[in-house]
Amino acid sequence: MLVLQAIFVAAATASLSGTPSGVPESADCMLRSEAWAFGRRLLPRMGDFTALHDALILSACNVSQTTPGRAGTSSTAHTVSAQWHPQRAEPPAPNAVVVYADAVRGSDSAGNGTKTAPLQTIEAAITLVRARRQSAAPRAPASVVLRAGVYFLDAPVQLGPSDSHLTITNYLTEVAVVSGGVPVGPLEWKLLGAPPPPKRAPSMSMAMQTPTSAGNAWTLYNNTNNVFAEVRAGRDAACCKFVGTTASVADCETALAGSTKGPFLSFTWQPLSAGAFAGECYGIVTDRWAPHAQPGYVSGRHGPLPPPPPP
């Protein structure tokens, strides 16, 4: 208390941004420096926590972006990036029930929860853990291991007493993000104020409507996406049913043939370069045919094409 009193009675002109009226700048700098030091102790994984240093405007207090010191001092300690990186996850216990999920390459319909055939969603992984515990030991330790990616939740994950000793963790040092947001895209941007597009969209050009190859009973159209803006990654929609993540169009056709969600009138396979949608195969149960031009995408259809819209 005596130290703080000595600081506040010191004469100074408050020119530091945000310093309250009547508070000496030296006192404000001292408190900001201590706040930065506390932040470093609270979140050591943030390294030198340069983001907090900048937020506190400590450069105006002559405090360097390295190991915190008192106002008016600096340190030559090395600087660590403030970018967040997950700590290396502890491996599951030897007797644990372990289920893997992969938001990018996993599949709730085709996966079995192993590292080589992961599920796709956290909800499916927890359901599988519960089932395996019931057939083994209900109180056994369990782990849901998340590979890198963004896991979108449609609703909060409900856990109860039966889920005791369950750990949901990232895989090694991979970054797994759990999000309550709603993914959008793929998106098509247009200039605000641009003239309206023609009634006959470019994605329905005659070049796209000409089949480029044929396989099994499908007529295939390259570089066409018939589920554009209709689906979320790994989810069913009213028109379009997710049948799994596959490595090729041929594998997608095989998955369609074995799916119980059909019959399908058309389908779209998304290329391995499609980010969160990589390799996803969707069977379309309606007569929808509104393909959008996208390189690498392949859509297939049974029967003749519908007549084009009037010009």
Side-chain angles (χ1 to χ4, degrees), residues 2-229:
L2 293 178
V3 174
L4 288 178
Q5 288 177 346
I7 292 173
F8 279 99
V9 298
T13 302
S15 59
L16 184 64
S17 175
T19 301
S21 176
V23 176
E25 183 175 311
S26 59
D28 193 17
C29 284
M30 172 74 76
L31 294 175
R32 295 184 189 216
S33 183
E34 292 299 331
W36 182 39
F38 178 75
R40 283 173 51 90
R41 293 193 299 271
L42 187 66
L43 298 173
R45 65 176 180 270
M46 298 299 290
D48 281 327
F49 216 159
T50 56
L52 181 58
H53 179 283
D54 294 340
L56 293 170
I57 324 177
L58 281 171
S59 58
C61 296
N62 194 29
V63 177
S64 70
Q65 291 188 359
T66 55
T67 302
R70 297 290 181 179
T73 67
S74 63
S75 170
T76 58
H78 68 282
T79 300
V80 180
S81 170
Q83 183 178 359
W84 180 82
H85 296 283
Q87 298 180 352
R88 187 179 183 87
E90 294 292 330
N95 61 334
V97 175
V98 181
V99 173
Y100 288 85
D102 190 324
V104 178
R105 296 178 176 81
S107 171
D108 289 347
S109 59
N112 57 17
T114 61
K115 187 185 297 187
T116 56
L119 301 176
Q120 187 176 50
T121 64
I122 293 176
E123 299 92 331
I126 292 175
T127 298
L128 182 56
V129 164
R130 290 168 177 165
R132 290 183 176 176
R133 276 176 140 185
Q134 287 181 352
S135 61
R139 304 290 292 180
S143 291
V144 171
V145 181
L146 306 179
R147 301 302 301 266
V150 180
Y151 295 79
F152 293 100
L153 301 180
D154 293 327
V157 174
Q158 301 289 336
L159 300 176
S162 61
D163 298 306
S164 299
H165 309 291
L166 168 64
T167 299
I168 302 176
T169 183
N170 61 305
Y171 177 72
L172 299 180
T173 58
E174 294 184 359
V175 179
V177 178
V178 180
S179 172
V182 178
V184 295
L187 298 176
E188 182 178 17
W189 298 93
K190 65 180 180 180
L191 181 65
L192 184 64
K199 293 182 178 180
R200 185 171 182 179
S203 61
M204 287 295 293
S205 66
M206 290 305 298
M208 287 180 56
Q209 296 189 41
T210 302
T212 57
S213 59
N216 297 336
W218 299 102
T219 300
L220 303 183
Y221 299 85
N222 286 340
N223 304 317
T224 56
N225 180 1
N226 197 34
V227 296
F228 180 79

Side-chain angles (χ1 to χ4, degrees), residues 193-301:
K199 293 182 178 180
R200 185 171 182 179
S203 61
M204 287 295 293
S205 66
M206 290 305 298
M208 287 180 56
Q209 296 189 41
T210 302
T212 57
S213 59
N216 297 336
W218 299 102
T219 300
L220 303 183
Y221 299 85
N222 286 340
N223 304 317
T224 56
N225 180 1
N226 197 34
V227 296
F228 180 79
E230 291 292 330
V231 298
R232 293 177 55 186
R235 301 288 195 273
D236 287 348
C239 66
C240 319
K241 307 303 178 183
F242 174 69
V243 298
T245 301
T246 63
S248 66
V249 179
D251 291 341
C252 176
E253 293 181 55
T254 301
L256 292 165
S259 175
T260 59
K261 298 181 179 181
F264 304 116
L265 301 181
S266 60
F267 77 91
T268 290
W269 177 79
Q270 313 208 45
L272 301 181
S273 59
F277 294 82
E280 291 194 347
C281 177
Y282 290 87
I284 302 167
V285 296
T286 67
D287 197 36
R288 166 189 173 82
W289 187 252
H292 181 84
Q294 281 191 280
Y297 288 67
V298 179
S299 294
R301 179 179 172 85

